[in-house]
Amino acid sequence: LYRDQLVAVLPLDHELAGQPYFPMDLLDKYPYIKLDEDVTGSDNYSACIDQIFDTQGKTPRICVHTRSEYTALAMIAGHQGYSILPAMTEDRTRHQLVYIPLEKPCFRYVSLLVAESRERIVLVQNFIKMVQDWILEKYKDIIN
């Protein structure tokens, strides 16, 4: 459906808050709030974040693991660390936070899987179109 950029999420007064990007060489400088998923496999969000650190030769200074995006955002607002999250999370909190892209852009792909069939039902086709239109409208400011 679309490509969602991964961004560093920081408190408003973080020393990097005004920067155009989060430097890759600083990935391990600050306490990191790790968002864990219940799914396994190399295509999940946690594996993608682990790969970012691995390719840079960095080990995150994990201060806490959480399965809740909302908990991570609240902890960031409380100056307990930073996290790398999808840009899509920006509209999921009332906390005032800073979202800046990583120095080396990283993305996750938001997809809709539909069972293969010889004839796609019109209802499914209409649903897919509705979802695509909704995403384009809701995230038009962050879609690349």
Side-chain angles (χ1 to χ4, degrees):
L1 297 172
Y2 87 102
R3 197 170 68 148
D4 190 15
Q5 187 166 13
L6 300 177
V7 296
V9 184
L10 311 164
L12 278 178
D13 58 355
H14 192 279
E15 64 185 74
L16 296 176
Q19 298 301 312
Y21 59 82
F22 190 98
M24 300 308 268
D25 62 338
L26 299 181
L27 286 171
D28 57 355
K29 180 178 178 182
Y30 306 100
Y32 185 74
I33 299 166
K34 184 166 173 53
L35 185 62
D36 293 321
E37 291 181 305
D38 287 333
V39 293
T40 58
S42 61
D43 291 338
N44 70 35
Y45 167 78
S46 295
C48 181
I49 299 302
D50 291 344
Q51 185 178 8
I52 290 171
F53 283 97
D54 289 345
T55 59
Q56 297 303 310
K58 301 290 183 180
T59 301
R61 291 180 41 205
I62 298 172
C63 60
V64 69
H65 290 261
T66 182
R67 289 189 176 161
S68 168
E69 184 177 277
Y70 300 104
T71 300
L73 294 168
M75 292 180 76
I76 295 164
H79 297 86
Q80 295 180 36
Y82 85 101
S83 195
I84 297 173
L85 298 170
M88 182 187 268
T89 61
E90 190 168 351
D91 68 347
R92 295 189 187 165
T93 183
R94 293 182 297 207
H95 298 291
Q96 296 295 312
L97 301 170
V98 174
Y99 297 77
I100 60 174
L102 300 174
E103 179 179 9
K104 293 184 180 175
C106 299
F107 300 90
R108 71 168 183 164
Y109 293 88
V110 178
S111 303
L112 177 64
L113 301 175
V114 179
E116 186 177 331
S117 67
R118 288 194 176 145
E119 297 176 17
R120 259 199 201 158
I121 300 172
V122 173
L123 178 64
V124 173
Q125 291 172 334
N126 289 340
F127 176 74
I128 291 169
K129 176 74 171 122
M130 182 188 75
V131 170
Q132 289 172 327
D133 290 346
W134 179 82
I135 286 176
L136 286 172
E137 177 59 29
K138 180 148 179 78
Y139 298 107
K140 62 185 169 201
D141 294 336
I142 61 173
I143 291 177
N144 294 324

